[in-house]
Amino acid sequence: MRMIFDDAGQSHPPAPSVHLPTPSRRQTTHQAGHYLHLRGDTKSGVYRIQSGIVALEEVNEEGHRCILQFLGPGALLGGEVLWQPRREFDARACTHVSVERCFTHEVNRPGN
């Protein structure tokens, strides 16, 4: 089995592949500073970033906003909602962003 290593040297299996069906894709654009979703939001869709940069953020115990990861073109955003009911992180456009959105009930999960 192929493994992926994170910055702390921990190994993880690769994320399952997710197919966004062509007929249901909806392209949207967002200006820098716009939040695509917030932590705790109920699931509504998965995004594939077409252009621009998105930051995954959270607020720490002291109340400071922390950037956890930057995502760019080709990255899948919000895939966690395929396995759990709520968003784990805030997702903020750092630049002008273009994304393709697919509602979760339209996504083919691995094994389907």
Side-chain angles (χ1 to χ4, degrees):
M1 169 186 264
R2 192 179 79 156
M3 299 298 281
I4 296 174
F5 293 88
D6 62 21
D7 293 338
Q10 299 293 320
S11 62
H12 307 278
S17 61
V18 175
H19 172 69
L20 298 180
T22 303
S24 64
R25 290 182 181 173
R26 296 162 188 87
Q27 188 159 347
T28 59
T29 58
H30 306 276
Q31 296 298 319
H34 175 80
Y35 282 88
L36 281 75
H37 62 73
L38 298 173
R39 180 180 181 173
D41 285 350
T42 56
K43 58 185 179 179
S44 61
V46 176
Y47 304 89
R48 185 178 312 273
I49 301 172
Q50 298 299 307
S51 64
I53 303 294
V54 173
L56 297 183
E57 303 175 337
E58 69 178 3
V59 177
N60 67 16
E61 297 82 26
E62 293 90 32
H64 298 106
R65 184 162 290 282
C66 301
I67 296 174
L68 304 172
Q69 185 176 11
F70 290 102
L71 302 174
L76 188 65
L77 172 64
E80 74 273 8
V81 300
L82 298 174
W83 295 275
Q84 59 191 27
R86 299 194 177 272
R87 303 285 184 184
E88 289 187 7
F89 309 106
D90 299 337
R92 178 180 52 86
C94 295
T95 63
H96 181 84
V97 173
S98 175
V99 296
E100 284 183 325
R101 181 177 184 186
C102 181
F103 289 97
T104 53
H105 68 277
E106 298 171 333
V107 174
N108 295 325
R109 292 172 178 81
N112 288 351

